[in-house]
Amino acid sequence: MKHDPALNPSKARAAVHRAMALAALRADSSLSVRLRRYNDHMAIARSLELQEVAL
């Protein structure tokens, strides 16, 4: 039986963190701050995706 992606909170949270990562790149901040925020959000998204694969 296939699972509905909407019922998988880790997949939804990973998508939200990817969106926040892209928004961080467009923010009105210094380059170092934008890059740090991008990397932080992408790290969270990747870990959530790995948790999903492990399930």
Side-chain angles (χ1 to χ4, degrees):
M1 176 177 179
K2 287 242 177 196
H3 293 292
D4 185 6
L7 297 178
N8 191 341
S10 64
K11 191 171 197 172
R13 284 185 62 212
V16 168
H17 279 284
R18 280 192 300 275
M20 287 191 287
L22 293 176
L25 291 178
R26 294 185 214 98
D28 189 22
S29 301
S30 68
L31 179 60
S32 63
V33 169
R34 289 182 285 157
L35 185 59
R36 181 181 50 82
R37 289 179 182 164
Y38 172 82
N39 286 330
D40 289 346
H41 285 296
M42 286 305 293
I44 294 169
R46 288 182 194 110
S47 69
L48 288 168
E49 289 170 346
L50 286 176
Q51 288 175 6
E52 180 183 328
V53 171
L55 297 178

Coordinates of all heavy atoms in Angstrom, one line a residue:
M1 N 0.8 -1.2 0.0 CA 0.0 0.0 0.0 C 0.9 1.2 0.0 O 1.8 1.4 0.8 CB -0.9 0.0 1.2 CG -1.7 1.2 1.4 SD -2.8 1.0 2.8 CE -3.6 2.5 2.8
K2 N 0.6 2.2 -0.9 CA 1.4 3.4 -1.0 C 0.9 4.4 0.1 O -0.3 4.4 0.5 CB 1.1 4.1 -2.3 CG 1.9 3.4 -3.4 CD 2.8 4.3 -4.0 CE 3.6 3.7 -5.0 NZ 4.8 4.4 -5.3
H3 N 1.9 5.1 0.7 CA 1.5 6.1 1.7 C 1.4 7.5 1.1 O 2.1 7.8 0.2 CB 2.6 6.1 2.8 CG 2.7 4.9 3.6 ND1 1.8 4.5 4.4 CD2 3.7 3.9 3.6 CE1 2.1 3.3 5.0 NE2 3.3 3.0 4.5
D4 N 0.5 8.2 1.6 CA 0.2 9.6 1.1 C 1.3 10.5 1.6 O 1.6 10.5 2.9 CB -1.1 10.1 1.6 CG -1.5 11.4 1.0 OD1 -0.7 12.0 0.2 OD2 -2.5 12.0 1.4
P5 N 2.1 11.2 0.8 CA 3.2 12.0 1.3 C 2.7 13.1 2.3 O 3.4 13.5 3.2 CB 3.7 12.7 0.0 CG 3.2 12.0 -1.1 CD 2.0 11.2 -0.7
A6 N 1.4 13.5 2.2 CA 0.9 14.5 3.2 C 0.8 13.9 4.6 O 0.8 14.6 5.6 CB -0.4 15.0 2.7
L7 N 0.7 12.5 4.7 CA 0.7 11.9 6.0 C 2.0 11.7 6.6 O 2.2 11.2 7.7 CB -0.1 10.6 5.8 CG -1.5 10.6 5.4 CD1 -2.1 9.2 5.2 CD2 -2.3 11.5 6.4
N8 N 3.1 12.0 5.8 CA 4.5 11.8 6.3 C 5.0 13.1 6.8 O 5.5 13.9 5.9 CB 5.3 11.2 5.2 CG 6.6 10.7 5.8 OD1 7.1 11.1 6.8 ND2 7.3 9.8 5.0
P9 N 5.0 13.4 8.0 CA 5.4 14.8 8.5 C 6.9 15.1 8.2 O 7.2 16.2 8.0 CB 5.1 14.8 10.0 CG 4.9 13.4 10.4 CD 4.5 12.6 9.1
S10 N 7.8 14.1 8.2 CA 9.2 14.3 8.0 C 9.4 14.8 6.5 O 10.2 15.7 6.3 CB 10.0 13.1 8.3 OG 9.7 12.1 7.4
K11 N 8.6 14.3 5.6 CA 8.8 14.7 4.2 C 8.3 16.1 4.0 O 8.9 16.9 3.3 CB 8.0 13.8 3.3 CG 8.2 13.9 1.8 CD 7.6 12.8 1.0 CE 8.2 12.8 -0.3 NZ 7.7 11.6 -1.1
A12 N 7.2 16.5 4.7 CA 6.6 17.8 4.6 C 7.6 18.8 5.3 O 7.8 19.9 4.8 CB 5.3 17.9 5.3
R13 N 8.1 18.4 6.5 CA 9.1 19.3 7.2 C 10.3 19.5 6.3 O 10.9 20.6 6.3 CB 9.4 18.7 8.5 CG 8.3 18.9 9.5 CD 8.7 18.5 10.9 NE 9.9 19.3 11.4 CZ 10.8 18.8 12.2 NH1 10.8 17.5 12.6 NH2 11.8 19.6 12.6
A14 N 10.8 18.5 5.6 CA 12.0 18.6 4.8 C 11.7 19.6 3.7 O 12.6 20.4 3.3 CB 12.4 17.2 4.2
A15 N 10.5 19.5 3.1 CA 10.2 20.4 2.0 C 10.1 21.9 2.5 O 10.6 22.8 1.9 CB 8.8 20.1 1.4
V16 N 9.6 22.1 3.7 CA 9.6 23.4 4.4 C 11.0 23.9 4.6 O 11.3 25.1 4.3 CB 8.8 23.4 5.7 CG1 8.9 24.6 6.5 CG2 7.3 23.1 5.4
H17 N 11.9 23.1 5.1 CA 13.3 23.5 5.3 C 14.0 23.8 4.0 O 14.8 24.8 4.0 CB 14.0 22.5 6.1 CG 13.7 22.6 7.6 ND1 14.3 23.6 8.4 CD2 13.0 21.9 8.4 CE1 13.8 23.5 9.6 NE2 13.0 22.4 9.7
R18 N 13.7 23.1 2.9 CA 14.3 23.4 1.6 C 13.8 24.8 1.2 O 14.6 25.6 0.6 CB 14.0 22.3 0.6 CG 14.8 21.1 0.7 CD 14.7 20.2 -0.5 NE 13.3 19.7 -0.7 CZ 12.8 18.7 -0.1 NH1 13.5 17.9 0.7 NH2 11.5 18.3 -0.3
A19 N 12.5 25.1 1.4 CA 12.0 26.4 1.0 C 12.6 27.5 1.8 O 12.9 28.5 1.3 CB 10.5 26.4 1.2
M20 N 12.8 27.2 3.1 CA 13.4 28.2 3.9 C 14.9 28.4 3.6 O 15.4 29.6 3.6 CB 13.3 27.9 5.4 CG 11.9 28.0 6.0 SD 11.9 27.9 7.8 CE 12.1 26.1 8.0
A21 N 15.5 27.4 3.1 CA 16.9 27.5 2.7 C 17.0 28.4 1.4 O 17.9 29.3 1.3 CB 17.5 26.1 2.3
L22 N 16.1 28.2 0.5 CA 16.1 29.1 -0.7 C 15.7 30.5 -0.4 O 16.3 31.4 -0.9 CB 15.2 28.5 -1.8 CG 15.6 27.2 -2.4 CD1 14.5 26.6 -3.3 CD2 16.9 27.3 -3.1
A23 N 14.8 30.7 0.6 CA 14.5 32.0 1.0 C 15.6 32.7 1.7 O 15.8 33.9 1.6 CB 13.3 32.0 1.9
A24 N 16.4 31.9 2.4 CA 17.6 32.5 3.1 C 18.6 33.1 2.1 O 19.3 34.1 2.4 CB 18.3 31.4 3.9
L25 N 18.7 32.5 0.9 CA 19.6 33.0 -0.1 C 19.2 34.3 -0.7 O 20.0 35.1 -1.1 CB 19.8 32.0 -1.3 CG 20.5 30.7 -0.9 CD1 20.5 29.8 -2.1 CD2 21.9 30.9 -0.5
R26 N 17.9 34.6 -0.7 CA 17.3 35.8 -1.2 C 17.1 36.9 -0.2 O 16.7 38.0 -0.5 CB 16.0 35.5 -1.9 CG 16.1 34.6 -3.1 CD 14.7 34.5 -3.7 NE 14.6 33.2 -4.3 CZ 13.9 32.2 -3.8 NH1 13.3 32.3 -2.6 NH2 13.9 31.0 -4.4
A27 N 17.5 36.6 1.1 CA 17.2 37.5 2.2 C 18.2 38.8 2.0 O 19.2 38.7 1.4 CB 17.5 36.9 3.5
D28 N 17.8 39.8 2.7 CA 18.5 41.0 2.7 C 19.5 41.0 3.9 O 19.4 41.8 4.9 CB 17.6 42.2 2.8 CG 18.3 43.6 2.6 OD1 19.4 43.5 2.0 OD2 17.8 44.6 3.1
S29 N 20.5 40.1 3.8 CA 21.5 40.0 4.8 C 22.9 39.8 4.1 O 23.0 39.7 2.9 CB 21.2 38.7 5.6 OG 20.0 38.7 6.2
S30 N 23.9 39.8 5.0 CA 25.2 39.6 4.4 C 25.4 38.2 3.8 O 24.6 37.3 4.1 CB 26.3 39.8 5.5 OG 26.2 38.8 6.4
L31 N 26.3 38.1 2.9 CA 26.5 36.8 2.2 C 26.8 35.7 3.2 O 26.3 34.6 3.1 CB 27.6 36.9 1.2 CG 28.0 35.6 0.5 CD1 26.8 35.1 -0.3 CD2 29.2 35.8 -0.5
S32 N 27.6 35.9 4.2 CA 28.0 34.9 5.2 C 26.7 34.4 6.0 O 26.6 33.3 6.3 CB 29.1 35.4 6.1 OG 28.6 36.5 6.9
V33 N 25.9 35.4 6.4 CA 24.6 35.0 7.1 C 23.7 34.2 6.2 O 23.1 33.2 6.6 CB 24.0 36.3 7.6 CG1 22.6 36.0 8.2 CG2 24.8 37.0 8.7
R34 N 23.5 34.7 5.0 CA 22.7 33.9 4.0 C 23.2 32.5 3.8 O 22.4 31.5 3.8 CB 22.6 34.7 2.7 CG 21.8 35.9 2.8 CD 21.6 36.6 1.5 NE 22.9 37.3 1.2 CZ 23.3 37.6 -0.1 NH1 22.5 37.3 -1.1 NH2 24.4 38.1 -0.3
L35 N 24.5 32.3 3.6 CA 25.0 31.0 3.4 C 24.9 30.1 4.6 O 24.6 29.0 4.5 CB 26.5 31.1 3.0 CG 27.2 29.8 2.6 CD1 26.5 29.2 1.4 CD2 28.7 30.1 2.3
R36 N 25.1 30.7 5.8 CA 25.0 29.9 7.1 C 23.5 29.4 7.2 O 23.3 28.3 7.6 CB 25.4 30.7 8.3 CG 25.3 29.9 9.6 CD 25.8 30.8 10.8 NE 25.1 32.1 10.8 CZ 23.9 32.3 11.3 NH1 23.2 31.3 11.8 NH2 23.4 33.5 11.4
R37 N 22.6 30.3 7.0 CA 21.2 30.0 7.2 C 20.8 28.9 6.1 O 20.1 28.0 6.4 CB 20.3 31.2 7.0 CG 20.4 32.1 8.2 CD 19.5 33.3 8.0 NE 19.6 34.2 9.2 CZ 19.2 35.5 9.2 NH1 18.6 36.0 8.1 NH2 19.4 36.2 10.2
Y38 N 21.3 29.1 4.9 CA 21.0 28.1 3.8 C 21.5 26.7 4.2 O 20.8 25.7 4.2 CB 21.6 28.5 2.5 CG 21.6 27.5 1.4 CD1 20.4 27.3 0.7 CD2 22.6 26.7 1.2 CE1 20.3 26.4 -0.3 CE2 22.6 25.7 0.2 CZ 21.4 25.5 -0.5 OH 21.4 24.6 -1.5
N39 N 22.8 26.7 4.7 CA 23.4 25.4 5.0 C 22.7 24.8 6.2 O 22.6 23.6 6.3 CB 24.9 25.6 5.3 CG 25.7 25.8 4.0 OD1 25.3 25.3 3.0 ND2 26.8 26.6 4.1
D40 N 22.3 25.6 7.2 CA 21.6 25.1 8.4 C 20.3 24.4 8.0 O 20.0 23.3 8.4 CB 21.3 26.2 9.4 CG 22.6 26.6 10.1 OD1 23.7 25.9 10.0 OD2 22.5 27.7 10.8
H41 N 19.5 25.1 7.2 CA 18.2 24.5 6.7 C 18.4 23.3 5.8 O 17.6 22.3 6.0 CB 17.4 25.6 6.0 CG 16.8 26.6 7.0 ND1 15.9 26.3 7.9 CD2 17.0 27.9 7.1 CE1 15.5 27.3 8.6 NE2 16.2 28.4 8.1
M42 N 19.4 23.3 5.0 CA 19.6 22.2 4.1 C 20.1 21.0 4.9 O 19.7 19.8 4.6 CB 20.6 22.5 3.0 CG 20.0 23.4 1.9 SD 18.5 22.7 1.2 CE 19.1 21.3 0.3
A43 N 20.9 21.2 5.9 CA 21.3 20.1 6.8 C 20.1 19.4 7.5 O 20.0 18.2 7.6 CB 22.3 20.6 7.8
I44 N 19.2 20.2 8.0 CA 18.0 19.7 8.6 C 17.1 18.9 7.6 O 16.7 17.8 7.9 CB 17.2 20.9 9.3 CG1 18.0 21.5 10.4 CG2 15.8 20.3 9.8 CD1 17.4 22.8 11.0
A45 N 17.0 19.5 6.4 CA 16.2 18.8 5.4 C 16.8 17.5 5.0 O 16.1 16.5 4.9 CB 16.1 19.7 4.1
R46 N 18.1 17.4 4.9 CA 18.8 16.2 4.5 C 18.6 15.1 5.7 O 18.4 14.0 5.4 CB 20.3 16.4 4.3 CG 20.5 17.1 3.0 CD 22.0 17.3 2.7 NE 22.2 18.3 1.6 CZ 22.7 19.5 1.8 NH1 23.1 19.9 3.0 NH2 22.8 20.3 0.8
S47 N 18.7 15.6 6.9 CA 18.6 14.6 8.0 C 17.2 14.1 8.1 O 16.9 12.9 8.4 CB 19.0 15.2 9.3 OG 18.1 16.2 9.7
L48 N 16.2 14.9 7.8 CA 14.8 14.5 7.8 C 14.6 13.5 6.7 O 13.8 12.5 6.9 CB 13.8 15.7 7.7 CG 13.7 16.6 8.9 CD1 13.0 17.9 8.5 CD2 13.0 15.8 10.0
E49 N 15.2 13.7 5.5 CA 15.0 12.8 4.4 C 15.7 11.5 4.7 O 15.2 10.4 4.4 CB 15.6 13.4 3.1 CG 14.8 14.5 2.6 CD 15.4 15.3 1.5 OE1 16.7 15.1 1.3 OE2 14.7 16.0 0.8
L50 N 16.8 11.5 5.4 CA 17.5 10.2 5.8 C 16.6 9.5 6.8 O 16.6 8.2 6.8 CB 18.9 10.5 6.4 CG 19.9 10.9 5.4 CD1 21.2 11.3 6.1 CD2 20.2 9.8 4.4
Q51 N 16.0 10.2 7.7 CA 15.1 9.5 8.7 C 14.0 8.8 8.0 O 13.5 7.7 8.3 CB 14.5 10.5 9.7 CG 15.5 11.0 10.7 CD 15.0 12.1 11.6 OE1 13.8 12.4 11.5 NE2 15.8 12.7 12.4
E52 N 13.5 9.5 6.9 CA 12.3 8.9 6.1 C 12.8 7.6 5.4 O 12.0 6.7 5.4 CB 11.9 9.9 5.1 CG 10.7 9.5 4.3 CD 10.4 10.5 3.2 OE1 10.5 11.7 3.5 OE2 9.9 10.1 2.1
V53 N 14.0 7.6 4.9 CA 14.5 6.4 4.2 C 14.7 5.3 5.2 O 14.4 4.1 4.8 CB 15.8 6.8 3.5 CG1 16.5 5.5 2.9 CG2 15.5 7.8 2.4
A54 N 15.1 5.6 6.4 CA 15.4 4.6 7.4 C 14.1 3.9 7.9 O 14.1 2.8 8.4 CB 16.1 5.2 8.6
L55 N 13.0 4.6 7.7 CA 11.7 4.0 8.2 C 11.2 3.0 7.3 O 11.3 2.2 6.7 CB 10.6 5.1 8.3 CG 10.9 6.2 9.3 CD1 9.8 7.2 9.2 CD2 10.9 5.6 10.7

